[in-house]
Amino acid sequence: MEYNFQEIENRWQGYWRRENLYEVKNKSDKPKYYVLDMFPYPSGAGLHVGHPLGYIASDIFSRYKRLQGFNVLHPMGFDAYGLPAEQYAIQTGQHPEVTTMKNIARYCEQLNKIGFCYDWMRQIRTCDPEYYHWTQWAFAKMFEHYYDNDAEKALPISELIAHFEKHGTEGINAAQSEELHFTAEEWNAMDEKRQQEVLMNYRIAYLSDTKVNWCPALGTVLANDEVSEGLSVRGGHPVEQRVMRQWSLRVSAYAKRLLEGLDRIDWTDSLKETQRNWIGRSEGAEMTFVVKDTNLPIKIFTTRCDTIYGVTFMVLAPESEYVAHVVTPEQQQAVDDYLDQVKRRTERERISDRRMTGVFSGSYAICPITNREVPIYISDYVLAGYGTGAIMAVPAHDSRDYAFARAFNLDIIPLIEGADISEQSFDAKEGKMMNSGILNGLEVKDAIRTMKEYIEANNLGKVKVNYRLRDAIFSRQRYWGEPFPIYYKDGMPYLIPYNRMPLCLPEVDKFLPTETGEPPLGNAKVWAWDERRQLIVENEQIDNKYIFPLELNTMPGFAGSSAYYLRYMDPRNDNELVSREANEYWQQVDLYIGGTEHATGHLIYSRFWNKFLFDLGLICKDEPFAKLINQGMIQGRSNFVYRYIGEGATGNLFISYNLIDNPEYKDKVQPVHVDVNIVKNDILDIDAFRRWMPEFANAEFVYSDGTRDIDNPYIGTPSEKQYICGSAVEKMSKSMFNVVNPDDVVERYGADTLRLYEMFLGPLEQSKPWDTNGIDGVHRFLRRFWAMFESISDEQPTADELRSLHKTIKKVSYDIEHFSFNTSVPAFMICQNELSQLKCNKRAILEPLVILIAPFAPHIAEELYHQLGHETSVCDAQWPQYDEKLIEQNNVKYPISFNGKTRFFVELDKSLGKDEIEKIIMSDAQTAKFLNGAAPKKVIVVPGKIVNIVI
RNA sequence: GCGGCAUUGGCGAAAUUGGUAGACGCGCUAGACUUAGGAUCUAGUGAAGAGAUUCGUGUAGGUUCGAGUCCUAUAUGCCGCACCA
C-alpha cells in the first residue's frame, strides 16, 4: 500500500481534535512536566520553515515525556500586541485587532498542519482583556511596592509610609531613584502631592522624567535607531532631545538577584554570560572629592582606587547635577555652549563619534588622598546614568582618560613600573605600583585591596558594587498595547481600583497622536469622557469630581510576555493570575525553548517580573524557566540565475552557474535572485521561471552543457538540458525570494517528513540554512519505514533483530534527553536498514519502533499503531525500555599496541584475567604478523584497558 | 577593547567516558529496472598509491601506550556587550 501522507495526516489531526487528545488537566497522579515555546508575534507574513524548528523540538520532547508517563503541559498562545499591526492600521485604517485576529487564525492553521500536541484550550492572547487584566494587575502591584535592599525583596509601600511616619528615612535602605533624607516630622508636614512625589522615588513601577528622542512633526517618540544626525530616518524631520514623563520599572533593584539566580538555572553558558554582561556588576569604591574653596562634595565611583595617586583631573557628565554648582562665571558661556552642543546629539551619535570633546568648568577639586588640586572638566564621555555621573580621571591607566588628557593637554602620571604610556594608556591590572605613596611596590591586585581598606578605615569613602542594568522604560506613545490602570489627580498618578480592572483599550477614530501631541489614546472619545466619569462616580474612595484624566500611554511589548507562562497554568481563572493550587502543581517551566534574540529583553524582564511576584508570595518559584534551550536560526538559502551583461547582451540570456567562470562569461554576468520554490536541488524549473515574472517570459538559457535554446529553438526545453543555479546563505526574507513556507513542504512531503527533516538538518542550537536538497532522503526513509508494515507476523524475534531494536531505543532515548534530535533520525534510518536486510516484519520489533518514532513523526506512528490493532492513541502508549544485555556482548575492545603505537583492536571477554589475555593475544595471527617472527621483549597488559607489546 | 562559542570530506554533519575519525543523509560515479526519469533498487565514494601501506579533524607545540576530544600558544569565523570609570 502507498504511503499516502496527506490522507493519513488529515485523518489523524481530525481524530486528535475530536478526542481532545492533548487536553491537559491540572490534577493528575502522574508527575508533571511543563514544556514551553516562546510564543510568537503573529505577523502578516505567516510562518516560514524557520519558525517551527523550536516548536518541533519542544513537541518531540513533550510527546516523549508523555510516553514516559508524565502529565505534560505544552501550551501555545500569541504575543498579540505589537508595532506592525499598528503601523498597518495607521496606513489602512484597518483596526489592529482585526489584522491580529486574522494573522492568529492563519498561524493556528499553519501550526495545526504540522501536528503539534498543544492544548489549545489553554491558548492565551496578550491583547485579550481577560489576559491583560493580569498584566495591569501586576503593574498595579509594582506601583504599590518598593524594594527593600536589606530584606532583598519587594515590600508594600504602605510599610514604607508607616516607617516614614515614625522615623522618616532613618533606617531605610531601599532601591530609589535619588537619595532622600527627611525626618518623620518633615514627612508628616508634607501635603499629599509632595508625599506622592516622594513615594514615586521608591515605587517599583514609577513615573519619572526621562530623556527621549521626540519628533514634533511625526508627533512621537523615536528610538535611537530611528534617528540619524538629528533627523528622523523616515521623512527627515528634525528630532529633539526632550525630557518626558515616562513610566519605568525598577528592574535595577533586582540586579543582584538576577545575577545570582543565573547560577541556579540550567541555561547555556553563552546566554548566562550575555545576561551577566548586561547586568554588568562591578566592584569598586565610592569616594568624595571636595570642590576647592567650597564645601561641595563630589562623589565618584571607581574600580581602580589603586590609581588614585595618578588622578590629574575630574570629569562630570554634562547632565550631572554637579555641573551647575562648579561652573565659574568666566566659564559659564563656554560651558553653556558645550551643553547645548551635547544636547543636540543623540546617544547613538555620541557613541559612533568618539572624538573627545569637553570643556573646563573653571573649578578645581581636592583629591582626598593626595590633597592635589585637580581641574574639573565636563565631557560627554562620562555617562550620567552610570555610577555617580562623575569620575576621577587617571590618564596613565585608562584609555578614555588618556585620550581626553592628550586632547586637552593635561598631566599624565605613570603609576606602574615599566609600563610604556608614551603612545597609549596601560589599562591592564598587573604590575608593580610606583609614584603611589602607601601603595608603592605592591602588585595591582593587592594595591586595590589595600586602598579599599584604607578608604574605609579613614572614612574617605566606601566599598560599593555598581550595576550597569538600567530601569526599563515602560511607556509607549502607541495605541496597540495594554492601557495603564492609572488616573491622575492633581498631576499625580493613582491606581484605578482593582475591581475596575481590566481597564479596556478604547476605540479611537485614528491611530495617530492627537493634535495636541497626546498619544493615540487621547483620541478616544468614549473612554476618555464617559468611562472616566463612570469610573470616578462609582468609586467612593475618590472625590466625586469629574475630570480625572486617565494615563494615555500604553505598555510596551514586553509587558504582556513577562508572565504569560504563569497564566497557562490556569488560563481561565477570573479571580487570580494563577491559583495557588495550579501554581504549586506546575511550579515553573521545566523546559523553555526559544531564540537568543530575547537574551537581554524578555528573558530579563520575565525573570524580574517572576521574582517580584515571588516576593509577594503569589508563586512558589523565584526563577521562571528551569532549563532553557536556544534553537538556532534557520537562514534562507537563496538561488541565483546569472544574466549575461557582456557584449551584445539583451538582458534576456542566462548562463548556467557551472559556466560563469569560463573566460567568455567571466565578469560578464550579473546574479539575479530567483524564487527558491521554482528551483529543486539547484536545478531551475525553466517553464516555471518563464512564468514567474513577465520580464522572464522570453528568457533564454545557456545550459550546463554549454548549449543554448537557439541551437534548438521553439520546442520547449529538452529534459536532458539543465540550468544550474548558484546559491548563497542569506536571511530568510521576501526580498531574497528564499522564503519557504511550511505549508508547501507539508503539501509535498507531509508534516512527518517536515518534522524529521527540520531535526535532521543539524544540531538544534546551531544556526543553519534551510536547504531542501536533503529532504528526499528523509522522505524516502519514511516510505521505507511504512513499507515494513505491509504484512505483520507474530513470530519471535531473533537476537540480531532484538539487538537492532534495543540499540535504537537506547540511542533515541539518550538523544531526546540530550536534545540531539538530529542524531536520532540517522538512528531510525540505520535500524530500518538493518531490519529490512533481516527481512524483519515481526510485531515484537515493529511495535516498539512505532512508539519510538511517535514523537518525531506522530501521524505515521498513529496510523501504524492502529494498523497493529490498537484502539487507543499512540500518545498513550508506554515508552519502550531497552535491555543492555541484548545490546552488548560481554566483550571489551582491547587496543593492541606495538612499541606504544596502536595497531588493531581485539574483542575479548570482560572477565578474562591478565595471563589469559596475554595468551590469547600472543597466539593471535594479527599479532604474529606485527611481530614478524621476533620475540617480544615485554608484554604489558592492563585488564579492561590495553595490551602493549614492546619489541 | 572585554566576554562567549565555534573550526572535521564536494555539502549538512556523526564520533555519549581519551580507544579502529568521517555514522546517517545529500551530491557524485557505475550498474539494474524502465518508452522515459527529477521514480525505485544495488554497489562504490577523505587524500595519495598498482599495491602492501602512508597521510589526514584550522596552524604550531605539549601530556598520553593512544588525542577531533585534555593542556599551552596562535589564526580565522560567528555571537553578545561596549566611552560602564
Side-chain angles (χ1 to χ4, degrees):
Chain A
M1 209 173 41
E2 261 304 270
Y3 168 42
N4 185 346
F5 51 84
Q6 283 176 340
E7 191 272 327
I8 291 168
E9 290 176 3
N10 284 333
R11 185 151 43 82
W12 291 113
Q13 283 170 12
Y15 169 83
W16 295 335
R17 227 183 348 262
R18 280 196 307 281
E19 301 288 315
N20 273 333
L21 197 68
Y22 301 126
E23 196 180 334
V24 186
K25 295 275 192 280
N26 276 359
K27 278 217 170 78
S28 169
D29 299 334
K30 297 173 179 174
K32 70 96 190 186
Y33 202 89
Y34 186 179
V35 181
L36 184 65
D37 294 291
M38 290 185 187
F39 65 164
Y41 172 77
S43 88
L47 291 172
H48 65 62
V49 286
H51 295 112
L53 181 73
Y55 305 156
I56 294 171
S58 67
D59 200 63
I60 290 172
F61 203 79
S62 302
R63 288 171 178 276
Y64 167 73
K65 277 287 175 187
R66 179 166 172 172
L67 289 166
Q68 289 230 314
F70 287 81
N71 186 31
V72 180
L73 177 56
H74 186 218
M76 179 49 81
F78 297 95
D79 187 12
Y81 277 131
L83 230 55
E86 181 161 353
Q87 297 294 66
Y88 189 74
I90 291 168
Q91 283 162 21
T92 64
Q94 174 96 278
H95 196 288
E97 183 163 1
V98 175
T99 328
T100 304
M101 288 309 151
K102 208 174 90 194
N103 292 347
I104 287 178
R106 169 120 177 79
Y107 265 60
C108 288
E109 194 189 315
Q110 287 189 295
L111 290 170
N112 281 329
K113 276 190 191 168
I114 305 174
F116 294 122
C117 62
Y118 300 130
D119 178 0
W120 282 117
M121 306 298 282
R122 291 181 186 249
Q123 183 191 169
I124 54 171
R125 300 166 177 193
T126 54
C127 65
D128 245 325
E130 281 166 28
Y131 178 85
Y132 67 66
H133 182 170
W134 303 107
T135 311
Q136 291 179 348
W137 168 86
F139 169 84
K141 289 290 172 195
M142 290 180 196
F143 182 77
E144 291 184 320
H145 284 78
Y146 77 104
Y147 192 84
D148 187 303
N149 286 330
D150 292 332
E152 295 201 341
K153 66 185 285 196
L155 293 175
I157 207 98
S158 56
E159 289 182 19
L160 189 67
I161 296 173
H163 187 101
F164 285 163
E165 282 167 355
K166 282 200 188 120
H167 313 288
T169 50
E170 186 67 37
I172 286 288
N173 180 12
Q176 53 192 344
S177 302
E178 58 177 307
E179 222 175 297
L180 295 181
H181 296 283
F182 51 80
T183 63
E185 292 72 39
E186 284 169 322
W187 167 262
N188 292 324
M190 292 175 195
D191 61 14
E192 193 197 333
K193 182 173 177 171
R194 180 67 198 131
Q195 285 187 341
Q196 286 298 322
E197 277 168 8
V198 168
L199 292 177
M200 201 55 84
N201 192 51
Y202 298 93
R203 295 184 192 275
I204 288 177
Y206 65 95
L207 196 56
S208 72
D209 294 320
T210 311
K211 204 171 75 176
V212 292
N213 299 310
W214 174 258
C215 178
L218 296 173
T220 183
V221 164
L222 295 175
N224 280 334
D225 60 312
E226 294 169 322
V227 181
S228 170
E229 311 205 347
L231 299 175
S232 69
V233 173
R234 243 166 231 239
H237 306 292
V239 171
E240 58 192 53
Q241 297 283 299
R242 188 194 266 196
V243 172
M244 283 177 64
R245 225 159 157 64
Q246 305 267 296
W247 286 99
S248 296
L249 302 185
R250 209 177 293 283
V251 180
S252 60
Y254 282 83
K256 187 177 172 207
R257 280 168 62 191
L258 287 170
L259 188 68
E260 288 169 355
L262 290 173
D263 295 334
R264 300 192 302 271
I265 48 183
D266 183 9
W267 294 15
T268 59
D269 289 339
S270 75
L271 199 100
K272 286 195 204 177
E273 206 47 43
T274 301
Q275 289 215 342
R276 283 193 193 104
N277 232 321
W278 188 257
I279 295 165
R281 181 182 195 273
S282 63
E283 217 177 279
E286 203 170 75
M287 274 186 279
T288 306
F289 283 56
V290 176
V291 179
K292 189 189 166 196
D293 301 330
T294 71
N295 291 325
L296 180 72
I298 298 182
K299 265 193 194 164
I300 60 100
F301 175 76
T302 179
T303 54
R304 291 295 302 274
C305 58
D306 58 307
T307 61
I308 193 154
Y309 290 91
V311 175
T312 53
F313 58 101
M314 279 185 80
V315 187
L316 304 179
E319 300 85 357
S320 167
E321 54 194 51
Y322 294 126
V323 169
H325 299 110
V326 299
V327 178
T328 58
E330 307 82 69
Q331 286 299 101
Q332 190 69 51
Q333 188 57 48
V335 170
D336 285 349
D337 289 348
Y338 181 69
L339 294 184
D340 207 50
Q341 178 197 328
V342 167
K343 215 180 193 172
R344 273 198 297 272
R345 297 215 295 176
T346 62
E347 200 83 0
R348 174 164 275 258
E349 287 164 342
R350 170 168 155 157
I351 288 163
S352 61
D353 176 16
R354 300 210 174 177
R355 271 174 308 175
M356 278 297 173
T357 61
V359 66
F360 178 46
S361 70
S363 294
Y364 292 81
I366 312 291
C367 172
I369 305 278
T370 61
N371 290 323
R372 187 186 297 137
E373 269 178 34
V374 295
I376 303 172
Y377 280 77
I378 297 155
S379 170
D380 65 359
Y381 85 86
V382 173
L383 305 175
Y386 184 78
T388 61
I391 61 154
M392 63 176 214
V394 185
H397 302 290
D398 181 287
S399 53
R400 296 148 304 177
D401 296 346
Y402 187 88
F404 192 85
R406 281 277 185 246
F408 286 80
N409 207 16
L410 297 159
D411 293 343
I412 299 174
I413 305 172
L415 301 173
I416 292 173
E417 286 177 21
D420 174 20
I421 55 156
S422 58
E423 294 295 326
Q424 55 182 3
S425 62
F426 181 82
D427 293 15
K429 288 185 188 173
E430 58 194 36
K432 260 199 179 109
M433 305 299 298
M434 62 179 192
N435 298 335
S436 294
I438 59 166
L439 302 176
N440 278 337
L442 291 175
E443 282 292 320
V444 170
K445 295 219 165 73
D446 300 325
I448 293 175
R449 197 170 23 97
T450 307
M451 186 46 79
K452 275 186 189 163
E453 284 162 11
Y454 182 83
I455 290 166
E456 294 229 301
N458 293 279
N459 229 356
L460 297 167
K462 57 182 182 191
V463 172
K464 207 185 160 181
V465 175
N466 248 321
Y467 295 94
R468 203 180 65 87
L469 186 68
R470 308 279 176 89
D471 290 346
I473 296 179
F474 203 62
S475 301
R476 296 292 182 271
Q477 295 70 43
R478 295 286 171 182
Y479 171 74
W480 192 229
E482 299 87 350
F484 284 84
I486 288 285
Y487 68 93
Y488 287 86
K489 188 172 92 174
D490 205 5
M492 292 307 291
Y494 290 84
L495 284 182
I496 69 165
Y498 281 98
N499 62 16
R500 296 291 304 169
M501 290 182 209
L503 178 66
C504 289
L505 189 63
E507 293 302 320
V508 293
D509 313 333
K510 56 181 184 125
F511 304 102
L512 286 171
T514 66
E515 279 157 22
T516 51
E518 286 181 316
L521 286 191
N523 291 316
K525 295 211 171 55
V526 174
W527 189 69
W529 299 104
D530 297 358
E531 268 257 334
R532 185 182 297 177
R533 285 188 185 122
Q534 205 182 355
L535 162 77
I536 304 307
V537 170
E538 278 183 13
N539 180 18
E540 52 189 7
Q541 294 179 333
I542 302 169
D543 302 344
N544 199 2
K545 285 180 190 165
Y546 269 28
I547 311 298
F548 288 110
L550 287 171
E551 171 67 59
L552 297 178
N553 286 295
T554 53
M555 298 186 193
F558 68 82
S561 59
S562 288
Y564 74 111
Y565 53 89
L566 292 170
R567 191 64 183 163
Y568 281 132
M569 297 174 181
D570 198 6
R572 303 292 166 251
N573 187 335
D574 290 334
N575 305 314
E576 303 160 275
L577 167 66
V578 52
S579 74
R580 186 165 293 277
E581 303 80 66
N583 181 250
E584 267 169 14
Y585 181 66
W586 294 111
Q587 301 264 320
Q588 66 186 146
V589 176
D590 294 291
L591 173 67
Y592 195 32
I593 297 190
T596 37
E597 66 272 20
H598 299 109
T600 52
H602 162 63
L603 288 174
I604 292 263
Y605 298 129
S606 261
R607 294 182 60 221
F608 153 75
W609 204 285
N610 189 84
K611 283 176 192 298
F612 171 74
L613 296 177
F614 174 78
D615 286 354
L616 270 52
L618 298 167
I619 55 172
C620 61
K621 288 280 184 181
D622 96 316
E623 284 288 342
F625 314 118
K627 182 175 176 66
L628 177 82
I629 301 262
N630 294 118
Q631 95 274 20
M633 266 221 288
I634 297 224
Q635 296 132 310
R637 185 175 184 279
S638 310
N639 275 116
F640 299 93
V641 292
Y642 297 87
R643 174 184 273 143
Y644 180 66
I645 52 168
E647 223 168 295
T650 58
N652 220 12
L653 180 67
F654 297 89
I655 316 298
S656 183
Y657 173 67
N658 58 313
L659 303 173
I660 60 170
D661 282 334
N662 286 6
E664 56 174 318
Y665 301 123
K666 200 165 166 65
D667 302 324
K668 291 177 191 157
V669 294
Q670 169 197 33
V672 178
H673 275 99
V674 56
D675 187 346
V676 292
N677 295 298
I678 58 171
V679 177
K680 199 181 173 217
N681 292 355
D682 291 338
I683 309 291
L684 183 68
D685 181 334
I686 301 285
D687 292 333
F689 180 70
R690 286 182 175 139
R691 269 181 273 121
W692 181 43
M693 280 189 186
E695 61 168 308
F696 300 131
N698 300 311
E700 291 183 8
F701 302 91
V702 175
Y703 297 102
S704 56
D705 60 358
T707 60
R708 276 183 71 165
D709 287 310
I710 202 93
D711 303 336
N712 200 358
Y714 310 120
I715 55 158
T717 308
S719 54
E720 70 272 15
K721 298 217 178 292
Q722 293 185 333
Y723 182 94
I724 302 174
C725 297
S727 69
V729 173
E730 296 173 307
K731 194 175 141 48
M732 197 172 273
S733 90
K734 268 187 178 166
S735 61
M736 315 276 193
F737 300 109
N738 59 8
V739 176
V740 180
N741 187 320
D743 297 349
D744 296 341
V745 181
V746 169
E747 170 95 8
R748 189 163 185 169
Y749 295 98
D752 287 336
T753 301
L754 173 71
R755 292 169 63 108
L756 277 174
Y757 186 59
E758 291 230 0
M759 293 300 104
F760 181 66
L761 215 46
L764 179 60
E765 307 198 50
Q766 196 172 300
S767 284
K768 57 237 166 200
W770 176 262
D771 181 352
T772 325
N773 289 350
I775 199 166
D776 290 305
V778 173
H779 188 63
R780 254 195 297 273
F781 155 70
L782 274 183
R783 284 221 302 270
R784 283 195 288 244
F785 187 76
W786 173 262
M788 288 169 73
F789 290 77
E790 291 264 279
S791 64
I792 301 297
S793 100
D794 284 321
E795 272 177 74
Q796 287 303 304
T798 66
D800 279 345
E801 289 163 350
L802 281 170
R803 204 169 102 84
S804 183
L805 171 67
H806 283 248
K807 242 170 39 189
T808 310
I809 299 172
K810 184 181 180 184
K811 171 75 180 148
V812 171
S813 305
Y814 181 92
D815 283 347
I816 297 179
E817 298 278 356
H818 292 81
F819 301 94
S820 39
F821 306 113
N822 56 321
T823 57
S824 305
V825 183
F828 286 123
M829 291 176 173
I830 293 164
C831 181
Q832 186 277 325
N833 195 16
E834 284 174 359
L835 292 178
S836 53
Q837 278 183 8
L838 295 167
K839 304 234 183 312
C840 171
N841 62 345
K842 294 167 189 165
R843 176 184 301 274
I845 300 293
L846 296 183
E847 191 170 301
L849 265 186
V850 165
I851 300 167
L852 219 53
I853 207 167
F856 294 85
H859 309 86
I860 195 174
E862 191 80 285
E863 172 68 21
L864 292 172
Y865 193 67
H866 281 76
Q867 280 186 19
L868 287 169
H870 294 274
E871 304 268 304
T872 55
S873 167
V874 70
C875 296
D876 295 317
Q878 211 182 356
W879 189 255
Q881 297 298 305
Y882 64 88
D883 185 345
E884 192 80 44
K885 276 185 284 203
L886 292 175
I887 301 171
E888 277 187 32
Q889 293 87 22
N890 226 9
N891 288 353
V892 176
K893 272 185 188 171
Y894 282 84
I896 312 300
S897 305
F898 293 86
N899 287 342
K901 188 150 182 75
T902 304
R903 295 299 178 154
F904 59 93
F905 282 68
V906 174
E907 259 187 36
L908 296 173
D909 196 292
K910 259 183 204 163
S911 56
L912 289 178
K914 199 174 149 172
D915 295 340
E916 290 162 295
I917 294 168
E918 193 180 325
K919 219 153 98 189
I920 295 168
I921 296 300
M922 293 316 291
S923 59
D924 180 75
Q926 268 179 294
T927 308
K929 196 172 118 195
F930 277 94
L931 286 173
N932 200 17
K937 281 186 193 151
K938 199 169 149 195
V939 180
I940 305 156
V941 176
V942 183
K945 293 221 109 186
I946 59 154
V947 178
N948 190 18
I949 301 166
V950 183
I951 308 172

